[in-house]
Amino acid sequence: MKRLMTWILAVSLTCVGSLQASESPQCEVVRFADVGWTDVTMTTAVTRLLLGELGYRTQVSRLSLPETYAALAGGKIDVFLGSWMPAQAALAQPHLDTGRIEKLQTNLPVVRYTLAVLEPAYKAGLHDFADIQRFQKELGGKIYGLERGNGGNKMVQSMIDGNVFGLQDFTLVESSENDMLNHVELAQRLGKSAVFLGWEPHPMNEQLRMSYLSGGDAYFGPNNGAAEVSTVARGGFSKDCQNLNQLFTNMTFTIASVSKLMAAVQEPNTNRRRVAKQWIKDSPGAVANWLKGVSFREGGAITAILGTPLASAN
């Protein structure tokens, strides 16, 4: 009986190795898109480090949102960890409907993305989208958005173009995440106000005296911009790369974990790879859950990552 069990185990391990060897050769290199947001940059850094430990190679391209979805639909990028819905529906849904892009998992189920305001205007009564136009002078007639092509920008611009909420005389200021936050932080230091695209998780929620506005549900989703973040891939990825698909299906984050990653990388003398490596070492339980049913690229059970035992994985 003992010999029989040993033989069964050996056959099982051989089958696991064979399964991973049957993956398409293109699965050896996983190509990511990064749109430059701190949360996506850090979750991508964690994922790339983990994949490296499993024997995969990775590449990352800095792309705008429209470029990201076009690259996914065209098979030039494999995975994007930052599909915020419903904010990105106009860019993503047509490709999801045709199968040129596929959703692998909701990696962060409860987030927020909508317009926010600094404390001075909020205390003065700017609580709702409909209040913005009454504070045009205090706001300098500006609403601060993100990079060109961003879904949130498009929704704000559509309000301006259609004079929704009386915003026809406002200007949308498009810039990178860092530039937008620099403008808002300067306004806060000067005791001024600003309306801007805000989201959580993000360290801005701790660093700024800010409040989210109500009334924008028709644009940013119900419950004042409540949203979810998904992992999406090029069409056919889950079939071509079954081992990787298992990992991405398992992989979910929490607001606390993403906030910790984002805050740590903003500290002086840190880099994202070092932060990602420490996060993996500090989170053996989460990583073990991610690795259930996952093997090394060339086969074989995973018992440790970065020297940290993962006894509960597999």
Short mmCIF file of all heavy atoms in Angstrom, two decimals, residues 226-288:
data_model
loop_
_atom_site.label_atom_id
_atom_site.label_comp_id
_atom_site.label_asym_id
_atom_site.label_seq_id
_atom_site.Cartn_x
_atom_site.Cartn_y
_atom_site.Cartn_z
N ALA A 226 -19.00 54.47 -5.33
CA ALA A 226 -18.53 53.14 -4.96
C ALA A 226 -18.21 52.36 -6.24
O ALA A 226 -18.94 52.41 -7.22
CB ALA A 226 -19.59 52.41 -4.14
N ALA A 227 -17.12 51.64 -6.22
CA ALA A 227 -16.65 50.97 -7.42
C ALA A 227 -15.91 49.69 -7.05
O ALA A 227 -15.82 49.33 -5.88
CB ALA A 227 -15.72 51.91 -8.21
N GLU A 228 -15.42 49.00 -8.08
CA GLU A 228 -14.59 47.83 -7.87
C GLU A 228 -13.45 47.83 -8.87
O GLU A 228 -13.56 48.44 -9.94
CB GLU A 228 -15.40 46.54 -7.99
CG GLU A 228 -15.97 46.28 -9.37
CD GLU A 228 -16.75 44.97 -9.47
OE1 GLU A 228 -17.35 44.58 -8.45
OE2 GLU A 228 -16.73 44.36 -10.56
N VAL A 229 -12.36 47.19 -8.50
CA VAL A 229 -11.19 47.10 -9.37
C VAL A 229 -11.02 45.65 -9.79
O VAL A 229 -11.08 44.74 -8.96
CB VAL A 229 -9.92 47.59 -8.65
CG1 VAL A 229 -8.73 47.57 -9.62
CG2 VAL A 229 -10.12 48.98 -8.08
N SER A 230 -10.81 45.44 -11.09
CA SER A 230 -10.68 44.09 -11.62
C SER A 230 -9.35 43.88 -12.31
O SER A 230 -8.71 44.82 -12.78
CB SER A 230 -11.81 43.78 -12.60
OG SER A 230 -13.07 43.77 -11.95
N THR A 231 -8.95 42.61 -12.37
CA THR A 231 -7.83 42.18 -13.20
C THR A 231 -8.39 41.74 -14.54
O THR A 231 -9.26 40.86 -14.59
CB THR A 231 -7.09 41.01 -12.54
OG1 THR A 231 -6.62 41.40 -11.24
CG2 THR A 231 -5.91 40.56 -13.40
N VAL A 232 -7.94 42.37 -15.61
CA VAL A 232 -8.39 42.00 -16.95
C VAL A 232 -7.20 41.57 -17.79
O VAL A 232 -6.06 41.94 -17.51
CB VAL A 232 -9.15 43.16 -17.63
CG1 VAL A 232 -10.46 43.45 -16.91
CG2 VAL A 232 -8.29 44.41 -17.70
N ALA A 233 -7.50 40.77 -18.81
CA ALA A 233 -6.44 40.21 -19.65
C ALA A 233 -6.86 40.23 -21.10
O ALA A 233 -8.03 40.43 -21.44
CB ALA A 233 -6.12 38.79 -19.20
N ARG A 234 -5.89 40.01 -21.96
CA ARG A 234 -6.20 39.87 -23.39
C ARG A 234 -7.12 38.67 -23.58
O ARG A 234 -7.09 37.71 -22.80
CB ARG A 234 -4.92 39.69 -24.20
CG ARG A 234 -4.12 38.45 -23.80
CD ARG A 234 -2.95 38.18 -24.74
NE ARG A 234 -2.12 37.07 -24.25
CZ ARG A 234 -2.42 35.79 -24.41
NH1 ARG A 234 -3.53 35.44 -25.03
NH2 ARG A 234 -1.61 34.85 -23.96
N GLY A 235 -7.93 38.70 -24.60
CA GLY A 235 -8.81 37.58 -24.88
C GLY A 235 -8.03 36.30 -25.09
O GLY A 235 -7.02 36.28 -25.78
N GLY A 236 -8.49 35.20 -24.48
CA GLY A 236 -7.83 33.92 -24.62
C GLY A 236 -6.74 33.65 -23.60
O GLY A 236 -6.19 32.55 -23.55
N PHE A 237 -6.42 34.64 -22.76
CA PHE A 237 -5.33 34.47 -21.81
C PHE A 237 -5.60 33.31 -20.85
O PHE A 237 -4.72 32.50 -20.56
CB PHE A 237 -5.13 35.77 -21.02
CG PHE A 237 -4.04 35.70 -19.98
CD1 PHE A 237 -2.72 35.93 -20.33
CD2 PHE A 237 -4.33 35.41 -18.65
CE1 PHE A 237 -1.71 35.87 -19.38
CE2 PHE A 237 -3.33 35.34 -17.70
CZ PHE A 237 -2.01 35.57 -18.06
N SER A 238 -6.83 33.22 -20.33
CA SER A 238 -7.13 32.19 -19.33
C SER A 238 -7.00 30.78 -19.91
O SER A 238 -6.65 29.84 -19.19
CB SER A 238 -8.54 32.39 -18.77
OG SER A 238 -9.52 32.33 -19.79
N LYS A 239 -7.27 30.63 -21.19
CA LYS A 239 -7.14 29.33 -21.85
C LYS A 239 -5.68 29.03 -22.17
O LYS A 239 -5.22 27.90 -21.98
CB LYS A 239 -7.98 29.29 -23.12
CG LYS A 239 -7.95 27.96 -23.84
CD LYS A 239 -8.83 27.99 -25.08
CE LYS A 239 -8.80 26.65 -25.82
NZ LYS A 239 -9.66 26.67 -27.04
N ASP A 240 -4.96 30.03 -22.65
CA ASP A 240 -3.56 29.84 -23.03
C ASP A 240 -2.67 29.60 -21.82
O ASP A 240 -1.73 28.81 -21.89
CB ASP A 240 -3.03 31.06 -23.78
CG ASP A 240 -3.70 31.29 -25.12
OD1 ASP A 240 -4.26 30.33 -25.66
OD2 ASP A 240 -3.67 32.44 -25.60
N CYS A 241 -2.94 30.30 -20.74
CA CYS A 241 -2.03 30.35 -19.58
C CYS A 241 -2.78 29.92 -18.31
O CYS A 241 -3.11 30.75 -17.46
CB CYS A 241 -1.45 31.75 -19.42
SG CYS A 241 -0.70 32.43 -20.92
N GLN A 242 -3.06 28.63 -18.20
CA GLN A 242 -3.93 28.15 -17.13
C GLN A 242 -3.32 28.32 -15.74
O GLN A 242 -4.02 28.61 -14.78
CB GLN A 242 -4.30 26.69 -17.39
CG GLN A 242 -5.13 26.50 -18.66
CD GLN A 242 -5.49 25.05 -18.92
OE1 GLN A 242 -5.59 24.25 -17.99
NE2 GLN A 242 -5.70 24.70 -20.18
N ASN A 243 -2.02 28.13 -15.64
CA ASN A 243 -1.37 28.30 -14.34
C ASN A 243 -1.43 29.76 -13.90
O ASN A 243 -1.76 30.08 -12.75
CB ASN A 243 0.08 27.83 -14.42
CG ASN A 243 0.74 27.74 -13.05
OD1 ASN A 243 0.20 27.14 -12.11
ND2 ASN A 243 1.93 28.32 -12.93
N LEU A 244 -1.13 30.66 -14.83
CA LEU A 244 -1.21 32.09 -14.54
C LEU A 244 -2.64 32.51 -14.24
O LEU A 244 -2.90 33.31 -13.33
CB LEU A 244 -0.67 32.90 -15.72
CG LEU A 244 0.84 32.83 -15.95
CD1 LEU A 244 1.19 33.42 -17.31
CD2 LEU A 244 1.58 33.55 -14.85
N ASN A 245 -3.58 31.97 -14.99
CA ASN A 245 -4.98 32.29 -14.75
C ASN A 245 -5.40 31.90 -13.34
O ASN A 245 -6.15 32.63 -12.68
CB ASN A 245 -5.87 31.58 -15.77
CG ASN A 245 -7.34 31.87 -15.54
OD1 ASN A 245 -7.77 33.01 -15.53
ND2 ASN A 245 -8.11 30.82 -15.32
N GLN A 246 -4.91 30.75 -12.87
CA GLN A 246 -5.24 30.32 -11.50
C GLN A 246 -4.70 31.34 -10.49
O GLN A 246 -5.39 31.70 -9.53
CB GLN A 246 -4.64 28.95 -11.22
CG GLN A 246 -5.01 28.38 -9.85
CD GLN A 246 -6.50 28.13 -9.74
OE1 GLN A 246 -7.07 27.37 -10.53
NE2 GLN A 246 -7.15 28.77 -8.78
N LEU A 247 -3.49 31.82 -10.71
CA LEU A 247 -2.91 32.82 -9.81
C LEU A 247 -3.75 34.09 -9.82
O LEU A 247 -4.13 34.61 -8.75
CB LEU A 247 -1.48 33.13 -10.22
CG LEU A 247 -0.80 34.29 -9.46
CD1 LEU A 247 -0.63 33.94 -8.00
CD2 LEU A 247 0.54 34.63 -10.10
N PHE A 248 -4.06 34.61 -10.99
CA PHE A 248 -4.81 35.86 -11.07
C PHE A 248 -6.24 35.70 -10.58
O PHE A 248 -6.83 36.65 -10.06
CB PHE A 248 -4.78 36.41 -12.49
CG PHE A 248 -3.45 36.98 -12.89
CD1 PHE A 248 -2.71 36.42 -13.93
CD2 PHE A 248 -2.91 38.08 -12.22
CE1 PHE A 248 -1.48 36.95 -14.29
CE2 PHE A 248 -1.69 38.61 -12.56
CZ PHE A 248 -0.96 38.05 -13.60
N THR A 249 -6.80 34.51 -10.72
CA THR A 249 -8.14 34.26 -10.18
C THR A 249 -8.11 34.27 -8.65
O THR A 249 -9.05 34.74 -8.00
CB THR A 249 -8.67 32.90 -10.68
OG1 THR A 249 -8.75 32.93 -12.11
CG2 THR A 249 -10.05 32.62 -10.12
N ASN A 250 -7.02 33.77 -8.08
CA ASN A 250 -6.88 33.75 -6.62
C ASN A 250 -6.54 35.12 -6.03
O ASN A 250 -6.80 35.39 -4.86
CB ASN A 250 -5.75 32.79 -6.20
CG ASN A 250 -6.07 31.34 -6.49
OD1 ASN A 250 -7.21 30.98 -6.76
ND2 ASN A 250 -5.04 30.49 -6.44
N MET A 251 -5.93 35.97 -6.83
CA MET A 251 -5.29 37.18 -6.32
C MET A 251 -6.30 38.29 -6.04
O MET A 251 -6.88 38.87 -6.96
CB MET A 251 -4.23 37.67 -7.30
CG MET A 251 -3.42 38.87 -6.79
SD MET A 251 -2.11 39.34 -7.96
CE MET A 251 -1.00 37.95 -7.80
N THR A 252 -6.50 38.59 -4.77
CA THR A 252 -7.32 39.72 -4.35
C THR A 252 -6.57 40.53 -3.30
O THR A 252 -5.72 39.99 -2.58
CB THR A 252 -8.67 39.27 -3.78
OG1 THR A 252 -8.45 38.45 -2.62
CG2 THR A 252 -9.49 38.50 -4.81
N PHE A 253 -6.89 41.81 -3.22
CA PHE A 253 -6.28 42.69 -2.25
C PHE A 253 -7.36 43.24 -1.31
O PHE A 253 -8.55 43.00 -1.51
CB PHE A 253 -5.58 43.87 -2.96
CG PHE A 253 -4.40 43.48 -3.80
CD1 PHE A 253 -4.56 43.13 -5.14
CD2 PHE A 253 -3.12 43.45 -3.26
CE1 PHE A 253 -3.48 42.77 -5.93
CE2 PHE A 253 -2.03 43.10 -4.04
CZ PHE A 253 -2.21 42.76 -5.38
N THR A 254 -6.93 43.95 -0.30
CA THR A 254 -7.84 44.67 0.58
C THR A 254 -7.44 46.15 0.56
O THR A 254 -6.32 46.49 0.17
CB THR A 254 -7.77 44.17 2.03
OG1 THR A 254 -6.44 44.43 2.55
CG2 THR A 254 -8.05 42.67 2.12
N ILE A 255 -8.36 47.01 0.95
CA ILE A 255 -8.04 48.43 1.02
C ILE A 255 -6.84 48.66 1.94
O ILE A 255 -5.94 49.44 1.63
CB ILE A 255 -9.25 49.25 1.49
CG1 ILE A 255 -10.28 49.33 0.36
CG2 ILE A 255 -8.84 50.65 1.93
CD1 ILE A 255 -11.53 50.09 0.70
N ALA A 256 -6.80 47.93 3.06
CA ALA A 256 -5.70 48.09 4.01
C ALA A 256 -4.37 47.68 3.38
O ALA A 256 -3.35 48.37 3.56
CB ALA A 256 -5.96 47.26 5.27
N SER A 257 -4.36 46.58 2.64
CA SER A 257 -3.09 46.11 2.06
C SER A 257 -2.59 47.05 0.98
O SER A 257 -1.40 47.35 0.90
CB SER A 257 -3.25 44.68 1.51
OG SER A 257 -4.17 44.64 0.44
N VAL A 258 -3.50 47.54 0.12
CA VAL A 258 -3.09 48.46 -0.94
C VAL A 258 -2.65 49.79 -0.34
O VAL A 258 -1.67 50.40 -0.79
CB VAL A 258 -4.23 48.65 -1.96
CG1 VAL A 258 -3.84 49.69 -3.00
CG2 VAL A 258 -4.55 47.33 -2.66
N SER A 259 -3.37 50.27 0.66
CA SER A 259 -2.99 51.52 1.33
C SER A 259 -1.59 51.40 1.92
O SER A 259 -0.79 52.34 1.84
CB SER A 259 -4.00 51.88 2.41
OG SER A 259 -5.26 52.15 1.85
N LYS A 260 -1.29 50.26 2.52
CA LYS A 260 0.03 50.04 3.11
C LYS A 260 1.12 50.07 2.04
O LYS A 260 2.18 50.69 2.22
CB LYS A 260 0.06 48.69 3.84
CG LYS A 260 1.38 48.38 4.54
CD LYS A 260 1.30 47.07 5.30
CE LYS A 260 2.62 46.77 6.02
NZ LYS A 260 2.55 45.48 6.77
N LEU A 261 0.87 49.44 0.91
CA LEU A 261 1.84 49.44 -0.19
C LEU A 261 2.07 50.85 -0.71
O LEU A 261 3.20 51.27 -0.94
CB LEU A 261 1.33 48.56 -1.33
CG LEU A 261 1.49 47.05 -1.17
CD1 LEU A 261 0.64 46.32 -2.20
CD2 LEU A 261 2.96 46.65 -1.32
N MET A 262 0.99 51.59 -0.88
CA MET A 262 1.09 52.93 -1.46
C MET A 262 1.79 53.89 -0.50
O MET A 262 2.61 54.72 -0.92
CB MET A 262 -0.30 53.44 -1.81
CG MET A 262 -0.99 52.62 -2.89
SD MET A 262 -2.73 53.04 -3.08
CE MET A 262 -2.59 54.59 -3.97
N ALA A 263 1.46 53.78 0.78
CA ALA A 263 2.07 54.68 1.76
C ALA A 263 3.56 54.39 1.89
O ALA A 263 4.38 55.32 1.99
CB ALA A 263 1.38 54.53 3.11
N ALA A 264 3.93 53.11 1.88
CA ALA A 264 5.33 52.73 2.06
C ALA A 264 6.21 53.23 0.93
O ALA A 264 7.34 53.68 1.15
CB ALA A 264 5.45 51.21 2.19
N VAL A 265 5.71 53.19 -0.29
CA VAL A 265 6.54 53.58 -1.43
C VAL A 265 6.75 55.08 -1.48
O VAL A 265 7.65 55.58 -2.18
CB VAL A 265 5.92 53.06 -2.74
CG1 VAL A 265 4.80 53.96 -3.23
CG2 VAL A 265 6.98 52.88 -3.83
N GLN A 266 5.94 55.84 -0.75
CA GLN A 266 6.10 57.29 -0.71
C GLN A 266 7.09 57.75 0.35
O GLN A 266 7.41 58.93 0.42
CB GLN A 266 4.74 57.95 -0.48
CG GLN A 266 3.79 57.77 -1.66
CD GLN A 266 2.47 58.50 -1.48
OE1 GLN A 266 2.10 58.87 -0.38
NE2 GLN A 266 1.76 58.70 -2.57
N GLU A 267 7.56 56.81 1.17
CA GLU A 267 8.56 57.17 2.18
C GLU A 267 9.90 57.45 1.50
O GLU A 267 10.21 56.89 0.45
CB GLU A 267 8.72 56.03 3.19
CG GLU A 267 7.48 55.75 4.02
CD GLU A 267 7.14 56.90 4.94
OE1 GLU A 267 8.07 57.54 5.46
OE2 GLU A 267 5.94 57.16 5.15
N PRO A 268 10.75 58.32 2.12
CA PRO A 268 12.06 58.62 1.53
C PRO A 268 12.93 57.37 1.44
O PRO A 268 12.81 56.46 2.25
CB PRO A 268 12.66 59.65 2.51
CG PRO A 268 11.48 60.23 3.23
CD PRO A 268 10.48 59.12 3.33
N ASN A 269 13.78 57.33 0.44
CA ASN A 269 14.78 56.27 0.27
C ASN A 269 14.15 54.89 0.13
O ASN A 269 14.68 53.90 0.63
CB ASN A 269 15.76 56.28 1.46
CG ASN A 269 16.47 57.60 1.61
OD1 ASN A 269 16.91 58.20 0.62
ND2 ASN A 269 16.57 58.09 2.83
N THR A 270 13.02 54.80 -0.52
CA THR A 270 12.42 53.50 -0.79
C THR A 270 12.22 53.35 -2.29
O THR A 270 12.21 54.32 -3.03
CB THR A 270 11.05 53.34 -0.09
OG1 THR A 270 10.14 54.33 -0.60
CG2 THR A 270 11.19 53.50 1.41
N ASN A 271 12.10 52.11 -2.73
CA ASN A 271 11.73 51.85 -4.12
C ASN A 271 10.67 50.77 -4.12
O ASN A 271 10.51 50.01 -3.17
CB ASN A 271 12.95 51.46 -4.96
CG ASN A 271 13.58 50.17 -4.51
OD1 ASN A 271 12.96 49.11 -4.56
ND2 ASN A 271 14.83 50.24 -4.05
N ARG A 272 9.92 50.71 -5.21
CA ARG A 272 8.74 49.84 -5.22
C ARG A 272 9.09 48.37 -5.13
O ARG A 272 8.34 47.59 -4.53
CB ARG A 272 7.90 50.13 -6.47
CG ARG A 272 8.62 49.96 -7.77
CD ARG A 272 7.80 50.59 -8.89
NE ARG A 272 8.46 50.48 -10.18
CZ ARG A 272 8.15 51.19 -11.23
NH1 ARG A 272 7.19 52.08 -11.16
NH2 ARG A 272 8.76 51.03 -12.38
N ARG A 273 10.23 47.94 -5.72
CA ARG A 273 10.59 46.53 -5.64
C ARG A 273 10.89 46.13 -4.19
O ARG A 273 10.46 45.07 -3.73
CB ARG A 273 11.79 46.23 -6.53
CG ARG A 273 12.20 44.76 -6.49
CD ARG A 273 13.35 44.48 -7.45
NE ARG A 273 13.84 43.12 -7.31
CZ ARG A 273 13.29 42.06 -7.90
NH1 ARG A 273 12.25 42.22 -8.68
NH2 ARG A 273 13.79 40.86 -7.72
N ARG A 274 11.61 47.00 -3.47
CA ARG A 274 11.93 46.69 -2.08
C ARG A 274 10.66 46.66 -1.22
O ARG A 274 10.49 45.79 -0.38
CB ARG A 274 12.93 47.71 -1.53
CG ARG A 274 13.40 47.40 -0.11
CD ARG A 274 14.69 48.12 0.22
NE ARG A 274 14.57 49.56 0.11
CZ ARG A 274 15.28 50.31 -0.72
NH1 ARG A 274 16.15 49.74 -1.55
NH2 ARG A 274 15.13 51.61 -0.76
N VAL A 275 9.75 47.61 -1.47
CA VAL A 275 8.50 47.63 -0.74
C VAL A 275 7.68 46.38 -1.05
O VAL A 275 7.10 45.75 -0.15
CB VAL A 275 7.69 48.91 -1.09
CG1 VAL A 275 6.26 48.81 -0.55
CG2 VAL A 275 8.39 50.13 -0.51
N ALA A 276 7.62 46.00 -2.32
CA ALA A 276 6.87 44.82 -2.72
C ALA A 276 7.44 43.56 -2.08
O ALA A 276 6.70 42.68 -1.61
CB ALA A 276 6.88 44.68 -4.24
N LYS A 277 8.76 43.46 -2.06
CA LYS A 277 9.41 42.29 -1.46
C LYS A 277 9.09 42.18 0.02
O LYS A 277 8.76 41.09 0.52
CB LYS A 277 10.92 42.38 -1.68
CG LYS A 277 11.69 41.16 -1.19
CD LYS A 277 13.17 41.28 -1.56
CE LYS A 277 13.95 40.04 -1.14
NZ LYS A 277 15.38 40.15 -1.51
N GLN A 278 9.14 43.30 0.73
CA GLN A 278 8.84 43.27 2.16
C GLN A 278 7.37 42.93 2.40
O GLN A 278 7.03 42.20 3.34
CB GLN A 278 9.17 44.63 2.80
CG GLN A 278 9.10 44.62 4.32
CD GLN A 278 10.08 43.64 4.94
OE1 GLN A 278 11.27 43.64 4.61
NE2 GLN A 278 9.59 42.77 5.82
N TRP A 279 6.49 43.45 1.53
CA TRP A 279 5.06 43.16 1.69
C TRP A 279 4.79 41.67 1.53
O TRP A 279 4.02 41.08 2.29
CB TRP A 279 4.25 43.95 0.66
CG TRP A 279 2.77 43.84 0.90
CD1 TRP A 279 1.98 44.66 1.65
CD2 TRP A 279 1.90 42.83 0.37
NE1 TRP A 279 0.68 44.22 1.64
CE2 TRP A 279 0.60 43.11 0.86
CE3 TRP A 279 2.08 41.72 -0.46
CZ2 TRP A 279 -0.51 42.31 0.54
CZ3 TRP A 279 0.99 40.93 -0.78
CH2 TRP A 279 -0.28 41.23 -0.29
N ILE A 280 5.43 41.04 0.55
CA ILE A 280 5.25 39.60 0.35
C ILE A 280 5.74 38.82 1.57
O ILE A 280 5.08 37.89 2.04
CB ILE A 280 5.99 39.14 -0.93
CG1 ILE A 280 5.26 39.68 -2.17
CG2 ILE A 280 6.09 37.62 -1.00
CD1 ILE A 280 5.98 39.41 -3.48
N LYS A 281 6.89 39.21 2.10
CA LYS A 281 7.43 38.53 3.28
C LYS A 281 6.53 38.72 4.49
O LYS A 281 6.41 37.82 5.34
CB LYS A 281 8.83 39.05 3.59
CG LYS A 281 9.90 38.57 2.62
CD LYS A 281 11.28 39.01 3.06
CE LYS A 281 12.36 38.41 2.18
NZ LYS A 281 13.73 38.79 2.61
N ASP A 282 5.88 39.88 4.59
CA ASP A 282 5.02 40.17 5.73
C ASP A 282 3.61 39.60 5.58
O ASP A 282 2.80 39.71 6.51
CB ASP A 282 4.91 41.69 5.94
CG ASP A 282 6.22 42.31 6.42
OD1 ASP A 282 7.10 41.56 6.88
OD2 ASP A 282 6.35 43.55 6.29
N SER A 283 3.30 39.03 4.43
CA SER A 283 1.91 38.59 4.15
C SER A 283 1.87 37.13 3.69
O SER A 283 1.29 36.82 2.65
CB SER A 283 1.29 39.49 3.08
OG SER A 283 1.43 40.85 3.39
N PRO A 284 2.46 36.20 4.47
CA PRO A 284 2.50 34.81 4.01
C PRO A 284 1.12 34.18 3.87
O PRO A 284 0.92 33.33 3.00
CB PRO A 284 3.33 34.11 5.10
CG PRO A 284 3.18 34.98 6.31
CD PRO A 284 3.10 36.38 5.78
N GLY A 285 0.17 34.59 4.71
CA GLY A 285 -1.18 34.03 4.62
C GLY A 285 -1.86 34.41 3.32
O GLY A 285 -2.43 33.56 2.61
N ALA A 286 -1.80 35.70 2.97
CA ALA A 286 -2.42 36.17 1.73
C ALA A 286 -1.76 35.53 0.52
O ALA A 286 -2.43 35.06 -0.41
CB ALA A 286 -2.33 37.69 1.64
N VAL A 287 -0.43 35.48 0.53
CA VAL A 287 0.30 34.92 -0.61
C VAL A 287 0.03 33.42 -0.74
O VAL A 287 -0.12 32.90 -1.85
CB VAL A 287 1.81 35.20 -0.46
CG1 VAL A 287 2.59 34.52 -1.58
CG2 VAL A 287 2.07 36.71 -0.51
N ALA A 288 -0.08 32.71 0.39
CA ALA A 288 -0.40 31.28 0.34
C ALA A 288 -1.75 31.05 -0.32
O ALA A 288 -1.93 30.12 -1.11
CB ALA A 288 -0.40 30.70 1.76
#
